[in-house]
Structure formats: structure tokens, C-alpha cells
Amino acid sequence: MALDGQSKNSGKGVWKSGKGKGRHHPKGRQLEDQAWEEICTLLDGLPRDRDRLIEHLHLIQDRYGHLSAAHLRALAEEMRMSMAEVYEVATFYAHFDVVKEGATKPPALTIRVCDSLSCELAGAQQLKKALEDGLDASEVRVLRAPCMGRCDTAPVLEIGHNHIDHATPEKVDAAIATGDTHVHVPAYEGYDAYVAEGGYETLKDLRTNGNWEAVQETVLASGLRGLGGAGFPSGKKWGFVRANAGPRYLAVNGDEGEPGTFKDRWYLERMPHLFLEGMLIAAWAVEADRAYIYMRDEYPAVLEILRREIKALEDAAIVEPGYIDLRRGAGAYICGEESAMIESIEGKRGLPRHRPPFVAQVGIFGAPTLVHNVETLHWVARVCREGPEVLNSTEKNGRTGLRSYSVSGRVAKPGMYVLPAGSTIMDLIAASGGMVAGHSFKAYQPGGPSSGLLPASMNDIPLDFDTLQPHGSFIGSAAVVVLSDHDSARGAALNMLRFFEDESCGQCTPCRVGCEKAVKLMQADHWDKGLLEELSTAMIDASICGLGQAAPNPIRLTMKHFPDEV
């Protein structure tokens, strides 16, 4: 029977209108034979599992420089997924360039200029403009980018996969002229050197004779807490995960995206096996069936180091092939939130999950999952090898332990410094060679943009867990950026909120709309303090995850401590 004037099915599976010519193929984007053949060749021998989607998108992006609609359609066909699923993931991540039919492909070369706070202070905007003015836009694309984890060498840019520290237009011109657009892997301690110093002996002994509860007590006795920012006692997580029936997994959060933070990169580019042994000890403790390492795409050198050294572990029979699954992020800060990271590992958009249930109960593929930060596992290995006193024997200002501080901004020697956890901002400035000549200490960011800004007058607070909360801030990942009298607290706060506006996943309205409205309000000549405070309260109370809940901190602390600027 005809519907709305339509004739019967023609017999070819296509409905035709009585007045029109009808369609000669089904609805939707059609599969192109050449694109499908290219995708099959690219994925030859690789699994088509749903959770490999982001890895396969990287392969296409790396090979062709963009993701064409034809290739996305072919990938959907090959992975037995809908085009909508593939498209929503590809468009969520900043490092994928989706190109529709008839649209212009991006140039062969892309330059990403970091414009987070440390690089902003070092002249990132002037650098970006100079590059835009001096380069042919049809051959080179210049983009602004969030923190690349190299704040100690600001300003920084990435040309292809080559990071240029203390970047200048002249350095860029030289890199383009010589084709130097590939990753540079620094010298580091490889497998043989690590084993020669006793590496993996602790792991082997634990696997043979160890008691996981005794190891857990050792870790708890050391005082080690989660060093990704949350600060939860590390050993306690093990018991929570083991309390749930298997299979169980371990996930390493290597998405070090908090602007000002580079400690994890610092460790991984120098001593990756200390982290890897700590990871395998934690995996042994919870009887993990597999260990996933989620590493940010902004760390191409680290990714290459881990590929090499995981292969070395497999060759040495320390782990079975495939036990360590290295996953590559794609430019989404939100994936530093543990449940968003797990969504990304599963090949989805990095949207934070509602909790409960917590990931220790329902994590990767619905299984109990232990999540640790890179530096946390570095210390797990050291505590197991050297005893809990490697941390708990250090005391300062009533605090116990050591912290890895990433220090950048207006100090003479930016870098990563391991200092007592009770250290103050003055201790950090002193360790960093003091202030840059001609600059006076004005303010500091104690733990990334989420922690806001504190004035120089508050210079006697130990920078550790639990000490900054009474002041409306927190230590987070210990990403310390120092500002001077040459800088604007108002401008720094706006830089932080622009970052949150860009990086909000968009899932919840308070964060998505709140960050956007805050940026607009903060650009006014005079801040509407009442409205900004009301907006901040709504974001803190109603946002799903820590991004929206912490984003108002720069607003509130700037209004409190730098009222003359706003």
C-alpha cells in the first residue's frame, strides 16, 4: 500500500515518490571502494574491536594528515559501527581533523603554539602572530594549543611532532627548511641499564614470595597519596579493587594536561622503567588481567620510549605480549578525569561518568579498575625497593614526605624540583634560582589553573595536600607558576578560564555554559562581582566533574586578593 502518495517499493529496495525520480541508493553516505581499500590496507592485521577506534583514527590522521568523510565511512564499515558513532568520537578530540566532502584539506604542516599561562607570560601571543604573518597559510597551519607539558622551556610550540623549546620564528624557519618535523627522543635509562642496577628484582621477588597485603601496608606506611591531584591514600585503592570479583584491570593516567604540570614527562623521559616496575607491582597486587597506559598525544617522545621499553619487557618475558596496552590520547584535557579516561580507553568520547558506581567497582569494560597516576607508580617502585622511609623520613613544617614540583613562570631556572612536602612558595622560588632579574614576586598558581591565584603575601603556607583548602585553593598536581609585578592577575585568571572554556567536554550545562559566560564577564572593564559569584556557585554546586567545580577558583581568588585589578 502506498504511503503519502509514494508508490510501492520498486523491487530494488528503494522507495520512489510519485512525482520525483526517487533515490537510486539507500540514504546516508555511501561507501567508496577506494577509501575502503585504503582503510583495509592501513588496518591490515590489526583488531577491529570497538575500543580500538581512537587508535585507528590516529593511524588515518598520521597517514593522510586528516580524516576524510570517505575514510570515516570506510572505517565505520570495517569496524561494524554506525557512521554517527565514528563521527562523534572523531570530532570530540582536538588532534583529529575531520574534512567533509568538498571541504579544503588542512595544509601538510601544522604548528601548534602553546598559549597556557607559562607560555603566555613568555610571549606566546606575539610568537603566534609572528608565525601567522611570516608563513604561507596554504602550506603551514598555525594553531593555538593548550599546555604541552614543557612549561620550563616556554614559549613552546610543536611543528609536526617536533617540540621546539624557547621557540622563535627563526627556529621554526630552520626546522621547516631542514624538514625537522619528527619527534626527538631524549637519552634515557633503558631496560638493560635499569636491570644492571637491580631493576625488576623487587617485582620478581613479589611475584614469587610476596604478600599483597604486606606490600599495601608498606605503601600506606610511606604516606604515599595519589599524585595526579586527588591525593587519595594510594594503598587503600588496592583493597577496594581486590574486594570486587575479577576480571580486574589497571589503568595508568598519563594524561598530564593541567597547565603548568610536567613532572610525569620529566620522569618518563629519563627513567621510564622505575614507573613501569611500579605499575607492574600494583597490577600484581590487584591481580590485574591487563594494564592500560593512557598517554597524552602531546608527549610523542614519551609514547615512543614506552613503545620501545614495553617491547623490551615482552622480549625479556617480564610480561606477556599484549599485557601492557599503550593507548594514545588525542588532545582532550577532560580525559585526565579518571572516568573520562576510561571512556576514551573504550574508544568513546571522553565524557566523565556519574558516580557512584566508582571505577574501583565499575571501570574499564565494566570491570573493577585500579587507576594510578604516573608519578604515584614511580614512588610505588621506590617504596617497595627502598622501604617506606624513602618518603616518611622527610619532615618539614609539620608535613611528611616529598613532592615533585613543576615550577615555571618568572623564576630564573624553571624546572622540576623534588622537595619536602612542607616546602613553601619561597622555598620553591629559592630552589629555582630566585626571581628573574628585574622582577618582583607578586602572585603564584600553586596547583594548576584549577587552584587559582594566591598573592605573594601568602608565602608561608606549606604546599601540600590539605594545607591550601582553608584558603580556597589546593595543591593538585603541584603545577606552580610564579607571577611578577610585570604581570596582571586579572589577565592570568582570564587565561585560565579561557582554557576551561576550550576544554569543557560540554556534557553538563553548568560547566559548558558557565565557563563561556565567565570568560565574557571577565573581559568587561569592571567585573560584575555579584554575578560572577552567583555563576561560580552554580558551577561548583551543579557540575558533574572537577573541571566545572574547580573552574571558578581563579575568579573567586582574583576578586578576593586582587580587587584593585577587577
Side-chain angles (χ1 to χ4, degrees):
M1 180 176 179
L3 300 175
D4 297 330
Q6 289 181 332
S7 66
K8 290 183 179 180
N9 193 310
S10 66
K12 297 182 180 179
V14 179
W15 287 91
K16 291 186 176 182
S17 167
K19 296 181 180 180
K21 295 180 179 179
R23 294 189 306 276
H24 296 287
H25 51 72
K27 277 186 176 181
R29 185 172 279 106
Q30 301 307 298
L31 181 63
E32 298 179 14
D33 289 342
Q34 181 180 345
W36 195 9
E37 183 179 341
E38 290 170 346
I39 292 300
C40 289
T41 300
L42 196 61
L43 303 187
D44 184 39
L46 298 176
R48 269 51 166 184
D49 299 337
R50 170 68 173 78
D51 63 288
R52 308 296 301 185
L53 175 58
I54 294 173
E55 297 299 307
H56 294 342
L57 289 171
H58 273 304
L59 290 176
I60 302 170
Q61 176 79 32
D62 290 346
R63 172 64 180 83
Y64 295 99
H66 65 284
L67 304 176
S68 70
H71 281 146
L72 291 179
R73 174 67 182 86
L75 182 63
E77 183 75 18
E78 191 63 20
M79 297 188 70
R80 300 295 188 265
M81 296 173 60
S82 71
M83 181 66 181
E85 289 179 288
V86 173
Y87 186 80
E88 73 173 5
V89 172
T91 54
F92 180 85
Y93 295 93
H95 289 189
F96 295 138
D97 295 306
V98 177
V99 178
K100 297 181 180 179
E101 294 95 335
T104 303
K105 295 186 294 187
L109 190 58
T110 295
I111 296 176
R112 301 179 189 273
V113 182
C114 176
D115 68 353
S116 291
L117 186 54
S118 297
C119 285
E120 181 90 9
L121 297 178
Q125 295 302 333
Q126 296 89 328
L127 173 63
K128 180 172 178 287
K129 186 177 187 308
L131 293 173
E132 291 171 336
D133 293 343
L135 296 172
D136 184 348
S138 65
E139 296 181 359
V140 182
R141 177 176 57 160
V142 180
L143 303 175
R144 58 181 290 266
C147 187
M148 296 178 183
R150 309 181 77 87
C151 318
D152 52 333
T153 55
V156 170
L157 59 80
E158 185 182 30
I159 177 168
H161 286 302
N162 176 22
H163 282 100
I164 296 182
D165 299 325
H166 302 297
T168 63
E170 292 75 22
K171 289 184 178 180
V172 171
D173 290 341
I176 293 174
T178 58
D180 187 10
T181 61
H182 302 290
V183 60
H184 290 211
V185 178
Y188 65 91
E189 182 184 45
Y191 174 79
D192 291 338
Y194 183 70
V195 169
E197 296 296 325
Y200 294 106
E201 289 302 321
T202 300
L203 173 67
K204 292 175 181 177
D205 182 61
L206 289 174
R207 284 175 169 177
T208 304
N209 308 306
N211 179 305
W212 77 270
E213 291 177 312
V215 178
Q216 178 181 244
E217 287 304 314
T218 299
V219 173
L220 287 171
S222 73
L224 179 64
R225 296 171 64 171
L227 296 170
F232 190 81
S234 298
K236 284 188 177 181
K237 286 186 178 183
W238 298 3
F240 293 157
V241 173
R242 282 201 60 131
N244 297 284
R248 307 183 191 96
Y249 298 111
L250 179 144
V252 178
N253 192 338
D255 199 65
E256 186 179 45
E258 192 77 12
T261 313
F262 49 91
K263 59 184 178 62
D264 290 353
R265 177 187 63 80
W266 193 95
Y267 282 119
L268 290 171
E269 288 185 349
R270 289 163 176 79
M271 49 190 84
H273 281 283
L274 202 54
F275 148 71
L276 288 168
E277 184 170 11
M279 179 191 74
L280 293 175
I281 289 171
W284 161 83
V286 299
E287 297 181 337
D289 287 44
R290 179 172 291 184
Y292 292 87
I293 303 176
Y294 188 88
M295 186 55 55
R296 66 187 312 223
D297 197 31
E298 291 86 348
Y299 287 176
V302 170
L303 283 161
E304 178 57 29
I305 289 170
L306 289 175
R307 289 187 194 103
R308 295 177 185 178
E309 300 313 309
I310 291 170
K311 178 64 166 56
L313 290 177
E314 293 174 347
D315 292 344
I318 300 293
V319 296
E320 294 181 1
Y323 179 79
I324 302 175
D325 195 336
L326 178 61
R327 296 298 179 93
R328 178 179 166 191
Y333 164 76
I334 192 63
C335 291
E337 196 277 335
E338 63 179 8
S339 65
M341 174 194 67
I342 286 173
E343 289 287 300
S344 192
I345 288 173
E346 293 179 355
K348 305 171 187 174
R349 294 176 295 165
L351 300 180
R353 297 175 178 176
H354 291 272
R355 290 172 289 185
F358 296 94
V359 299
Q361 301 166 300
V362 181
I364 299 174
F365 309 130
T369 302
L370 174 66
V371 177
H372 274 315
N373 164 264
V374 168
E375 190 201 350
T376 305
L377 294 170
H378 170 95
W379 287 110
V380 165
R382 289 199 59 183
V383 166
C384 290
R385 289 178 65 174
E386 304 170 43
E389 57 273 9
V390 70
L391 288 176
N392 65 22
S393 63
T394 301
E395 294 187 13
K396 183 171 183 174
N397 291 331
R399 311 300 299 176
T400 302
L402 297 169
R403 291 301 300 263
S404 303
Y405 297 98
S406 307
V407 187
S408 61
R410 305 297 192 182
V411 292
K413 297 178 181 178
M416 201 285 287
Y417 296 93
V418 179
L419 298 172
S423 299
T424 66
I425 186 61
M426 300 310 295
D427 295 322
L428 268 64
I429 292 174
S432 306
M435 297 293 294
V436 172
H439 290 253
S440 299
F441 179 35
K442 173 181 178 176
Y444 65 106
Q445 168 190 287
S450 302
S451 68
L453 278 178
L454 296 176
S457 59
M458 297 175 65
N459 61 8
D460 59 350
I461 305 170
L463 300 183
D464 194 17
F465 295 118
D466 310 321
T467 58
L468 292 163
Q469 280 86 335
H471 305 284
S473 184
F474 53 85
I475 188 61
S477 58
V480 180
V481 181
V482 179
L483 276 63
S484 77
D485 55 340
H486 292 214
D487 304 315
S488 162
R490 169 200 178 105
L494 181 58
N495 177 282
M496 298 175 193
L497 263 295
R498 280 180 170 149
F499 169 78
F500 290 130
E501 179 188 23
D502 287 341
E503 297 298 330
S504 172
C505 74
Q507 179 180 190
C508 68
T509 303
C511 176
R512 181 184 69 248
V513 177
C515 290
E516 178 190 355
K517 296 301 181 185
V519 167
K520 290 179 179 177
L521 291 170
M522 293 168 73
Q523 293 180 76
D525 291 337
H526 298 284
W527 288 9
D528 186 332
K529 296 182 180 181
L531 186 55
L532 280 167
E533 178 58 37
E534 186 178 346
L535 178 64
S536 297
T537 300
M539 293 174 67
I540 292 169
D541 290 346
S543 294
I544 289 173
C545 80
L547 191 155
Q549 294 163 8
N553 285 342
I555 302 172
R556 285 181 159 177
L557 291 174
T558 301
M559 291 193 298
K560 178 179 180 180
H561 297 298
F562 305 95
D564 295 344
E565 293 194 28
V566 300

